[in-house]
Amino acid sequence: MALIKDQQLSVNHAATPEIRFSDWLNHEQAAGDTVLTNGEDDLPSLLASANKLSMIAIEFETFADGRGFSMARMLRRDGYLGEIRAVGDVAMDRIDFMHRVGFNAFELRDDQHAAQALTKLGEVSVHFQPSADGKGPAYMA
Amino acid sequence: MYAYNQFDQTLVDQRVEQYRDQTRRYLAGEIPEDEFRILRLMNGLYIQRLAPMLRVAIPYGLMKSEQLRTLAQISRTYDKGYGHFTTRQNIQFNWPTLESVPDILADLAKVQMHAIQTSGACIRNTTTDPFAGVSADEIEDTRPWCELIRQWSTLHPEFAYLPRKFKIAVSGSSNDRAASQVHDIGLHLYHNETGEIGFEVLVGGGLGRTPVIGKTVRKFLEPQELLSYLEAVLRVYNLNGRRDNKYKARIKILVNAIGIDAFTEMVEAEWQLLKDTELRLPESEIERVKGFFTGPDYLSAVHAGSDLQGVFVEHPQFATWYRQNTRDHKQAGYRIVIVALKNQLQAPGDVSHQQMDGIAALADEFSFAELRSTHDQNLVLADVAQRDLLALWLKLQDLDMARANVGTLTDMINCPGLDFCSLANAETLVLSRQINETFDDMDYQYELGEIQLKISGCINACGHHHVGHIGILGVEKGGKQVYQFTLGGSASNDASLGKTLGRSIEQDQVVVVIGQILDVYVQLRQIDETFLQLVRRLGIVPFKERVYGTHQRSAA
Ligand code: HEM
Ligand code: SF4
């Protein structure tokens, strides 16, 4: 599975965590832990624990489940600086929007061509609304 | 009206190329069917019974004549020479090929149009009062606010994969002509007690399978915080709306499940974090956008106005048309003209390419080169000088668009039904034909006064049947197409859902039953009582008795 991270094809990176956030909450915890989450988890507790986590992998069980977009946006709003990785049903046609709301890493679905996917970041270069990428409408510039 | 700058143009141009690449990859087998389905829907492309259907956005129903000419050209080049205006102020083409859509979008982009988010589980075209900025009863012009919403919602990265479609309507006058209470969000611009302008925000209205009237989440919203508040509502919905069942996925179901108080609390809590952030609209941006809607260079009342009494005597039909199809304008000497897309031969809302070109020319000549589409599937020339009305009327006759039936029984809303739609349970266009044949006496229609007849071919309610004074819903029973009637619905200030009349009616009996319903009204009405008022006063029973007492052929 190819990974795009910080707008490049990544070869050397941490594995996608297998421990689910809900399990991690009941576990021994250490700074720098990484977790896997999705829209079913309790978002307020995720936001409250984020500062202990170095990576939060948000899973898209199906591409049509848009909850992960709001989750990433809210994590960044709270100042989370660690990696937010999109995993699951992740295809090139969504990574630009994902990037805008705060994801910085994308584990692409198997059928995706990684080099082609990279060209999709910034495919639409102007934006009508502020988001986690700090870009926004002309009047904000 | 609003004109694109370089920024808007770049966005739309790049979006066309993005979609072109998606179409290419789909045709090359690189995008799975179910995934491309979502991508094409976000660009307004459905696959229907006979062919694909492309829905083009007309933001809050406003068009330049040049844009309508492009729509005519598109219908000639890529379609069968006509288009269909919808209840959400957009236009649909029924016969383009999937392969040609990127080229159509490129043609649209040249005249500042697109099909972005005209379908799919995202924020749709914002709709408003077709008389915004010109009507005599207006409190505040909604168009700048609609434009601000259009921009904010276009390619919003967080809200492209919502649980379900999301529709926003804005009303700014004492008469709600935007059906704002049956939208996911309804916004009412008004002055509060201290004279400040702001929005009342309604959430959770909608039609479809579970019709609901919207509920107030905020009584007064400072307009600068419009976008932050919308973002809060959308975020709460995106995170909490049901995704396991598409029939229970609209925001109205969420609001009803947790209750309006709990929902309001969630929105307000999120909004506390969003207000006074970069989402707050700067005064300069509001003023910039308002600057596009300052109104045309009206002639003075002396020059524009004209005493029409003599003309009325000479042309009684013109007088009738004036009464039925024009409305008061806030500018002295001007009238709002409604161009009815409801003649006897075409399906409601349909326009041929010749008519589109013709109307565009009339807009150039008589209405500052602009026009509007309405939620009841008509067009509007918003700024016609009184002295030009007769000339306009004569030319509309040549286009077969001067039928003086606005607000009457035959000014009906009608979804495409089984003739075009793959979700349909029953035909609807056959009903509008039968109704036009049966009720062809215009004097009878005038005598009946305002009657809103709304017809849908299935429970999805694209024809708004729940809020028709008379609503007709097509259903299938034992392989037969039959129709359920509701009475007493309304989408105006006094919004209400119609009550079911009784057992379904067979197709060939629909006009008979309409006739019986009208008879009851004529017999029982008091002086000046409208059909809707009568239904509200007497309820459904007298109609039931009349229809089912004498009428034995209704389907089981
Ligand atoms: C022919 C292709 C069409 C298809 C497949 C289609 C599909 C649908 C579906 C599935 C819904 C229900 C959504 C829900 O309840 O969540 C719906 C609602 C609606 N459609 Fe259509 N539609 C079509 C054409 C039209 C046309 C021609 C119009 C206008 C005349 C229209 C206007 C609307 C409106 C106003 C609603 C109600 C929105 C609400 O539920 O609040 N649609 N459509
Ligand atoms: S109401 Fe039903 S039949 Fe009519 S257009 Fe909508 S989905 Fe199709």
Side-chain angles (χ1 to χ4, degrees), chain A residues 62-102:
Chain A
T62 87
F63 66 88
D65 181 352
R67 288 176 292 186
F69 290 86
S70 289
M71 294 168 74
R73 178 80 171 96
M74 292 168 84
L75 282 163
R76 293 300 185 210
R77 177 176 68 190
D78 281 4
Y80 180 66
L81 295 172
E83 176 173 338
I84 305 183
R85 182 179 293 186
V87 304
D89 193 349
V90 178
M92 63 178 86
D93 294 297
R94 271 162 301 282
I95 62 174
D96 193 24
F97 277 0
M98 288 176 171
H99 182 243
R100 287 213 69 211
V101 297

Short mmCIF file of all heavy atoms in Angstrom, two decimals, chain A residues 62-102:
data_model
loop_
_atom_site.label_atom_id
_atom_site.label_comp_id
_atom_site.label_asym_id
_atom_site.label_seq_id
_atom_site.Cartn_x
_atom_site.Cartn_y
_atom_site.Cartn_z
N THR A 62 -15.97 3.18 4.25
CA THR A 62 -16.31 3.36 2.85
C THR A 62 -16.02 4.82 2.51
O THR A 62 -16.07 5.68 3.39
CB THR A 62 -17.81 3.11 2.54
OG1 THR A 62 -18.51 4.35 2.75
CG2 THR A 62 -18.39 2.05 3.43
N PHE A 63 -15.76 5.07 1.24
CA PHE A 63 -15.37 6.44 0.86
C PHE A 63 -16.51 7.43 1.10
O PHE A 63 -16.28 8.62 1.26
CB PHE A 63 -14.94 6.48 -0.61
CG PHE A 63 -16.05 6.20 -1.57
CD1 PHE A 63 -16.85 7.22 -2.04
CD2 PHE A 63 -16.29 4.89 -2.01
CE1 PHE A 63 -17.88 6.95 -2.91
CE2 PHE A 63 -17.32 4.62 -2.87
CZ PHE A 63 -18.12 5.64 -3.32
N ALA A 64 -17.73 6.93 1.16
CA ALA A 64 -18.86 7.84 1.31
C ALA A 64 -19.06 8.31 2.75
O ALA A 64 -19.87 9.18 3.01
CB ALA A 64 -20.14 7.17 0.81
N ASP A 65 -18.32 7.73 3.68
CA ASP A 65 -18.46 8.12 5.08
C ASP A 65 -17.62 9.36 5.34
O ASP A 65 -16.41 9.29 5.51
CB ASP A 65 -18.03 6.96 5.98
CG ASP A 65 -18.17 7.32 7.46
OD1 ASP A 65 -18.45 8.50 7.77
OD2 ASP A 65 -18.00 6.42 8.29
N GLY A 66 -18.25 10.52 5.39
CA GLY A 66 -17.51 11.78 5.46
C GLY A 66 -17.19 12.25 6.88
O GLY A 66 -16.71 13.37 7.05
N ARG A 67 -17.46 11.45 7.88
CA ARG A 67 -17.23 11.92 9.25
C ARG A 67 -15.76 12.25 9.50
O ARG A 67 -15.43 13.19 10.23
CB ARG A 67 -17.72 10.88 10.26
CG ARG A 67 -19.22 10.80 10.33
CD ARG A 67 -19.67 9.71 11.26
NE ARG A 67 -19.34 8.36 10.75
CZ ARG A 67 -19.72 7.24 11.32
NH1 ARG A 67 -20.43 7.28 12.43
NH2 ARG A 67 -19.41 6.07 10.79
N GLY A 68 -14.86 11.44 8.89
CA GLY A 68 -13.43 11.66 9.09
C GLY A 68 -12.97 13.06 8.72
O GLY A 68 -12.01 13.58 9.28
N PHE A 69 -13.69 13.69 7.77
CA PHE A 69 -13.30 15.04 7.36
C PHE A 69 -13.48 16.02 8.53
O PHE A 69 -12.62 16.86 8.79
CB PHE A 69 -14.15 15.50 6.17
CG PHE A 69 -13.85 14.77 4.89
CD1 PHE A 69 -14.46 13.56 4.58
CD2 PHE A 69 -12.94 15.29 3.98
CE1 PHE A 69 -14.18 12.89 3.40
CE2 PHE A 69 -12.65 14.63 2.79
CZ PHE A 69 -13.28 13.42 2.50
N SER A 70 -14.61 15.90 9.21
CA SER A 70 -14.85 16.80 10.35
C SER A 70 -13.91 16.47 11.50
O SER A 70 -13.46 17.37 12.23
CB SER A 70 -16.31 16.70 10.82
OG SER A 70 -17.18 17.29 9.87
N MET A 71 -13.62 15.19 11.68
CA MET A 71 -12.73 14.81 12.79
C MET A 71 -11.35 15.44 12.62
O MET A 71 -10.78 16.02 13.55
CB MET A 71 -12.60 13.28 12.85
CG MET A 71 -13.91 12.59 13.22
SD MET A 71 -13.85 10.81 12.95
CE MET A 71 -12.82 10.31 14.34
N ALA A 72 -10.81 15.34 11.40
CA ALA A 72 -9.48 15.91 11.15
C ALA A 72 -9.51 17.42 11.35
O ALA A 72 -8.63 18.02 11.98
CB ALA A 72 -9.03 15.58 9.73
N ARG A 73 -10.56 18.03 10.86
CA ARG A 73 -10.68 19.49 10.95
C ARG A 73 -10.70 19.93 12.42
O ARG A 73 -10.06 20.91 12.79
CB ARG A 73 -11.98 19.91 10.26
CG ARG A 73 -12.30 21.38 10.31
CD ARG A 73 -11.52 22.15 9.26
NE ARG A 73 -11.97 23.52 9.16
CZ ARG A 73 -11.39 24.55 9.78
NH1 ARG A 73 -10.33 24.35 10.55
NH2 ARG A 73 -11.87 25.77 9.62
N MET A 74 -11.40 19.20 13.25
CA MET A 74 -11.51 19.58 14.66
C MET A 74 -10.22 19.30 15.42
O MET A 74 -9.83 20.06 16.31
CB MET A 74 -12.71 18.87 15.30
CG MET A 74 -14.03 19.39 14.73
SD MET A 74 -15.46 18.40 15.17
CE MET A 74 -15.86 19.06 16.79
N LEU A 75 -9.53 18.22 15.05
CA LEU A 75 -8.23 17.96 15.68
C LEU A 75 -7.26 19.10 15.39
O LEU A 75 -6.57 19.60 16.27
CB LEU A 75 -7.64 16.64 15.14
CG LEU A 75 -8.23 15.36 15.74
CD1 LEU A 75 -7.89 14.15 14.88
CD2 LEU A 75 -7.70 15.16 17.18
N ARG A 76 -7.21 19.54 14.16
CA ARG A 76 -6.30 20.64 13.81
C ARG A 76 -6.73 21.94 14.47
O ARG A 76 -5.89 22.74 14.90
CB ARG A 76 -6.24 20.83 12.29
CG ARG A 76 -5.59 19.70 11.51
CD ARG A 76 -4.14 19.46 11.91
NE ARG A 76 -3.55 18.43 11.04
CZ ARG A 76 -2.58 17.61 11.42
NH1 ARG A 76 -2.07 17.65 12.66
NH2 ARG A 76 -2.09 16.71 10.58
N ARG A 77 -8.02 22.13 14.57
CA ARG A 77 -8.48 23.35 15.22
C ARG A 77 -8.00 23.41 16.67
O ARG A 77 -7.65 24.47 17.19
CB ARG A 77 -10.00 23.44 15.19
CG ARG A 77 -10.51 24.67 15.92
CD ARG A 77 -12.00 24.83 15.83
NE ARG A 77 -12.70 23.79 16.56
CZ ARG A 77 -14.01 23.60 16.47
NH1 ARG A 77 -14.73 24.34 15.66
NH2 ARG A 77 -14.60 22.65 17.16
N ASP A 78 -7.97 22.22 17.30
CA ASP A 78 -7.50 22.18 18.68
C ASP A 78 -5.99 22.26 18.78
O ASP A 78 -5.43 22.13 19.86
CB ASP A 78 -7.97 20.88 19.35
CG ASP A 78 -9.42 20.97 19.77
OD1 ASP A 78 -10.05 22.01 19.47
OD2 ASP A 78 -9.92 20.03 20.41
N GLY A 79 -5.32 22.41 17.65
CA GLY A 79 -3.88 22.58 17.68
C GLY A 79 -3.09 21.29 17.59
O GLY A 79 -1.89 21.27 17.85
N TYR A 80 -3.73 20.22 17.22
CA TYR A 80 -3.00 18.95 17.10
C TYR A 80 -1.97 19.03 15.98
O TYR A 80 -2.30 19.40 14.86
CB TYR A 80 -3.99 17.81 16.83
CG TYR A 80 -3.32 16.47 16.69
CD1 TYR A 80 -2.67 15.88 17.77
CD2 TYR A 80 -3.31 15.80 15.46
CE1 TYR A 80 -2.03 14.65 17.65
CE2 TYR A 80 -2.68 14.57 15.33
CZ TYR A 80 -2.04 14.01 16.43
OH TYR A 80 -1.41 12.80 16.29
N LEU A 81 -0.72 18.69 16.30
CA LEU A 81 0.35 18.85 15.31
C LEU A 81 0.89 17.53 14.79
O LEU A 81 1.73 17.50 13.89
CB LEU A 81 1.52 19.64 15.93
CG LEU A 81 1.18 21.09 16.31
CD1 LEU A 81 2.33 21.73 17.08
CD2 LEU A 81 0.87 21.91 15.06
N GLY A 82 0.44 16.42 15.38
CA GLY A 82 0.95 15.12 14.94
C GLY A 82 0.42 14.73 13.57
O GLY A 82 -0.26 15.50 12.90
N GLU A 83 0.75 13.50 13.16
CA GLU A 83 0.29 13.03 11.85
C GLU A 83 -1.19 12.65 11.91
O GLU A 83 -1.64 11.99 12.85
CB GLU A 83 1.13 11.81 11.44
CG GLU A 83 0.67 11.19 10.13
CD GLU A 83 1.63 10.08 9.65
OE1 GLU A 83 2.81 10.07 10.06
OE2 GLU A 83 1.17 9.22 8.87
N ILE A 84 -1.93 13.07 10.92
CA ILE A 84 -3.29 12.54 10.74
C ILE A 84 -3.28 11.79 9.41
O ILE A 84 -3.05 12.38 8.34
CB ILE A 84 -4.36 13.65 10.72
CG1 ILE A 84 -4.29 14.51 11.99
CG2 ILE A 84 -5.75 13.01 10.60
CD1 ILE A 84 -5.38 15.59 12.07
N ARG A 85 -3.48 10.49 9.51
CA ARG A 85 -3.34 9.64 8.34
C ARG A 85 -4.71 9.10 7.92
O ARG A 85 -5.46 8.59 8.75
CB ARG A 85 -2.41 8.47 8.66
CG ARG A 85 -2.15 7.54 7.50
CD ARG A 85 -1.21 6.41 7.89
NE ARG A 85 0.16 6.87 8.19
CZ ARG A 85 1.18 6.05 8.43
NH1 ARG A 85 0.99 4.73 8.41
NH2 ARG A 85 2.37 6.52 8.71
N ALA A 86 -5.01 9.25 6.66
CA ALA A 86 -6.26 8.68 6.13
C ALA A 86 -5.99 7.25 5.70
O ALA A 86 -5.07 7.00 4.92
CB ALA A 86 -6.74 9.50 4.94
N VAL A 87 -6.78 6.32 6.22
CA VAL A 87 -6.61 4.91 5.85
C VAL A 87 -7.96 4.30 5.49
O VAL A 87 -9.01 4.84 5.81
CB VAL A 87 -5.94 4.09 6.99
CG1 VAL A 87 -4.61 4.71 7.39
CG2 VAL A 87 -6.85 3.99 8.20
N GLY A 88 -7.91 3.17 4.81
CA GLY A 88 -9.14 2.50 4.41
C GLY A 88 -9.45 2.77 2.95
O GLY A 88 -8.57 2.67 2.09
N ASP A 89 -10.69 3.16 2.68
CA ASP A 89 -11.13 3.38 1.30
C ASP A 89 -10.68 4.78 0.85
O ASP A 89 -11.49 5.70 0.74
CB ASP A 89 -12.65 3.24 1.25
CG ASP A 89 -13.17 3.15 -0.17
OD1 ASP A 89 -12.39 3.41 -1.12
OD2 ASP A 89 -14.36 2.83 -0.34
N VAL A 90 -9.36 4.91 0.61
CA VAL A 90 -8.79 6.22 0.30
C VAL A 90 -8.33 6.24 -1.17
O VAL A 90 -7.48 5.46 -1.56
CB VAL A 90 -7.59 6.54 1.23
CG1 VAL A 90 -6.97 7.88 0.86
CG2 VAL A 90 -8.05 6.53 2.68
N ALA A 91 -8.94 7.12 -1.95
CA ALA A 91 -8.61 7.19 -3.37
C ALA A 91 -8.23 8.61 -3.76
O ALA A 91 -8.53 9.57 -3.05
CB ALA A 91 -9.79 6.71 -4.20
N MET A 92 -7.60 8.71 -4.91
CA MET A 92 -7.02 9.99 -5.33
C MET A 92 -8.07 11.10 -5.47
O MET A 92 -7.74 12.27 -5.36
CB MET A 92 -6.25 9.83 -6.63
CG MET A 92 -7.06 9.41 -7.81
SD MET A 92 -6.02 9.30 -9.30
CE MET A 92 -5.37 7.63 -9.17
N ASP A 93 -9.31 10.72 -5.70
CA ASP A 93 -10.32 11.75 -5.92
C ASP A 93 -10.78 12.44 -4.64
O ASP A 93 -11.57 13.37 -4.70
CB ASP A 93 -11.52 11.14 -6.66
CG ASP A 93 -11.11 10.71 -8.05
OD1 ASP A 93 -10.74 11.59 -8.84
OD2 ASP A 93 -11.08 9.49 -8.32
N ARG A 94 -10.29 12.02 -3.52
CA ARG A 94 -10.67 12.68 -2.27
C ARG A 94 -9.50 13.29 -1.50
O ARG A 94 -9.70 14.03 -0.56
CB ARG A 94 -11.41 11.70 -1.35
CG ARG A 94 -12.91 11.70 -1.60
CD ARG A 94 -13.59 10.50 -1.05
NE ARG A 94 -13.05 9.29 -1.64
CZ ARG A 94 -13.38 8.86 -2.86
NH1 ARG A 94 -14.26 9.49 -3.57
NH2 ARG A 94 -12.82 7.77 -3.35
N ILE A 95 -8.25 12.96 -1.90
CA ILE A 95 -7.15 13.38 -1.02
C ILE A 95 -6.95 14.89 -1.00
O ILE A 95 -6.44 15.43 -0.03
CB ILE A 95 -5.83 12.64 -1.34
CG1 ILE A 95 -5.36 12.94 -2.75
CG2 ILE A 95 -5.98 11.14 -1.11
CD1 ILE A 95 -3.98 12.34 -3.03
N ASP A 96 -7.38 15.59 -2.04
CA ASP A 96 -7.23 17.04 -2.00
C ASP A 96 -8.11 17.64 -0.90
O ASP A 96 -7.66 18.47 -0.11
CB ASP A 96 -7.60 17.64 -3.37
CG ASP A 96 -7.17 19.10 -3.48
OD1 ASP A 96 -6.24 19.51 -2.75
OD2 ASP A 96 -7.77 19.83 -4.29
N PHE A 97 -9.36 17.21 -0.84
CA PHE A 97 -10.25 17.67 0.23
C PHE A 97 -9.72 17.22 1.60
O PHE A 97 -9.76 17.97 2.57
CB PHE A 97 -11.67 17.12 0.04
CG PHE A 97 -12.53 17.92 -0.93
CD1 PHE A 97 -12.03 19.05 -1.57
CD2 PHE A 97 -13.84 17.54 -1.18
CE1 PHE A 97 -12.83 19.78 -2.45
CE2 PHE A 97 -14.65 18.26 -2.06
CZ PHE A 97 -14.15 19.37 -2.69
N MET A 98 -9.22 15.99 1.67
CA MET A 98 -8.68 15.49 2.94
C MET A 98 -7.51 16.36 3.39
O MET A 98 -7.39 16.72 4.56
CB MET A 98 -8.22 14.04 2.79
CG MET A 98 -9.35 13.04 2.67
SD MET A 98 -8.71 11.38 2.37
CE MET A 98 -10.23 10.43 2.55
N HIS A 99 -6.68 16.68 2.44
CA HIS A 99 -5.53 17.52 2.75
C HIS A 99 -5.98 18.88 3.28
O HIS A 99 -5.43 19.40 4.24
CB HIS A 99 -4.68 17.67 1.48
CG HIS A 99 -3.44 18.48 1.69
ND1 HIS A 99 -3.22 19.67 1.05
CD2 HIS A 99 -2.39 18.29 2.51
CE1 HIS A 99 -2.07 20.18 1.46
NE2 HIS A 99 -1.54 19.36 2.34
N ARG A 100 -7.00 19.42 2.65
CA ARG A 100 -7.49 20.73 3.09
C ARG A 100 -7.99 20.72 4.53
O ARG A 100 -7.82 21.69 5.25
CB ARG A 100 -8.62 21.22 2.17
CG ARG A 100 -8.17 21.66 0.80
CD ARG A 100 -9.04 22.79 0.28
NE ARG A 100 -8.83 23.99 1.06
CZ ARG A 100 -9.74 24.92 1.29
NH1 ARG A 100 -10.96 24.79 0.81
NH2 ARG A 100 -9.46 25.98 2.01
N VAL A 101 -8.65 19.64 4.93
CA VAL A 101 -9.22 19.63 6.29
C VAL A 101 -8.22 19.20 7.35
O VAL A 101 -8.54 19.18 8.53
CB VAL A 101 -10.50 18.76 6.41
CG1 VAL A 101 -11.60 19.31 5.53
CG2 VAL A 101 -10.20 17.31 6.08
N GLY A 102 -6.99 18.84 6.94
CA GLY A 102 -5.98 18.60 7.96
C GLY A 102 -5.24 17.28 7.91
O GLY A 102 -4.31 17.05 8.68
#
